[in-house]
Amino acid sequence: QQQVKQSPQSLIVQKGGISIINCAYENTAFDYFPWYQQFPGKGPALLIAIRPDVSEKKEGRFTISFNKSAKQFSLHIMDSQPGDSATYFCAASLSGSARQLTFGSGTQLTVLP
Amino acid sequence: ETGVTQSPTHLIKTRGQQVTLRCSSQSGHNTVSWYQQALGQGPQFIFQYYREEENGRGNFPPRFSGLQFPNYSSELNVNALELDDSALYLCASSLGTGTRGYGYTFGSGTRLTVV
């Protein structure tokens, strides 16, 4: 029940296109859903996060869409740029025991110039 | 303000040996969490240290242990190394035990290879 499933495993997008990464969770007690960006040789860095009481959150070119009934959430990167090429991880955590993040398996995004 | 610093950056050990990885938390942070990231996978929570005590543990055997020091820095110790322990070990520091927001900051990790 702690698993977070992420797809696709890899994604290639043309510059200016839209990148979409999807995640599904099982534990309905999760109440915080962040997305992390990781460049080679670096640790994950928080990109954007959402709580389940809203259906969408936008920060610049990055948008999270959240579907509580389907237990799914997704990251949309608008106007994708070569500098966005990185590995993206969705994650989730519990409010009652907010000591750990449960991560998805990651999506390697390549944005072609 | 310095970020999270981990050392060493790379390490090669032989199966059966013991290893100690170190983490200096970001200035002002009092909590350290450790994650294991196998190649091509997402990070998995090992444990968290708060006020020099273990404050939550993931599904890792007892040969994974840790310490937190009065200056909030931390060590991860792994005994009896196995080949499957080869991974990137990430440290995350925070103010308080929560995982929320930009205050939960990861270091660049230590790449451990067990041969």
Side-chain angles (χ1 to χ4, degrees):
Chain A
Q1 275 226 322
Q2 295 293 329
Q3 197 172 16
V4 177
K5 295 182 180 179
Q6 184 172 346
S7 63
Q9 185 175 8
S10 63
L11 182 62
I12 299 175
V13 174
Q14 293 287 340
K15 178 182 176 181
I18 302 174
S19 304
I20 302 174
I21 305 170
N22 301 298
C23 282
Y25 62 97
E26 299 171 354
N27 190 342
T28 55
F30 283 142
D31 70 343
Y32 175 70
F33 300 90
W35 284 89
Y36 279 81
Q37 180 187 56
Q38 185 176 27
F39 292 103
K42 299 293 185 182
L46 179 63
L47 192 60
I48 185 173
I50 197 168
R51 295 177 183 270
D53 53 345
V54 298
S55 60
E56 184 175 284
K57 182 175 181 180
K58 183 177 181 179
E59 290 184 1
R61 295 185 294 110
F62 302 92
T63 300
I64 300 179
S65 297
F66 188 86
N67 186 332
K68 188 174 181 177
S69 61
K71 295 187 287 185
Q72 295 175 348
F73 59 110
S74 60
L75 176 69
H76 296 231
I77 306 174
M78 311 300 288
D79 187 26
S80 298
Q81 299 296 312
D84 297 331
S85 297
T87 301
Y88 292 81
F89 294 95
C90 61
S93 72
L94 299 166
S95 61
S97 177
R99 303 182 187 95
Q100 67 182 83
L101 290 166
T102 300
F103 283 86
S105 55
T107 296
Q108 186 168 353
L109 172 66
T110 302
V111 181
L112 300 176
Chain B
E1 176 179 294
T2 58
V4 178
T5 305
Q6 293 187 241
S7 62
T9 55
H10 296 82
L11 199 55
I12 299 175
K13 288 286 188 178
T14 302
R15 188 172 53 183
Q17 285 188 316
Q18 178 265 343
V19 69
T20 297
L21 311 182
R22 295 178 174 82
C23 173
S24 293
S25 59
Q26 182 170 313
S27 177
H29 286 184
N30 59 7
T31 304
V32 172
S33 303
W34 286 91
Y35 288 78
Q36 181 195 64
Q37 185 177 15
L39 196 62
Q41 298 296 318
Q44 288 195 348
F45 177 72
I46 303 175
F47 44 54
Q48 181 185 83
Y49 275 82
Y50 174 64
R51 293 184 175 179
E52 302 179 47
E53 292 191 359
E54 188 178 291
N55 184 52
R57 187 178 185 93
N59 189 26
F60 281 83
R63 60 189 185 84
F64 285 79
S65 63
L67 285 172
Q68 186 181 32
F69 300 99
N71 66 354
Y72 306 126
S73 66
S74 177
E75 289 182 352
L76 165 65
N77 299 291
V78 187
N79 293 321
L81 283 166
E82 301 177 359
L83 297 180
D84 284 349
D85 295 334
S86 295
L88 180 68
Y89 288 85
L90 294 163
C91 167
S93 76
S94 56
L95 178 60
T97 59
T99 61
R100 315 296 168 95
Y102 295 94
Y104 195 82
T105 307
F106 283 90
S108 296
T110 294
R111 172 71 64 186
L112 172 65
T113 302
V114 182
V115 297

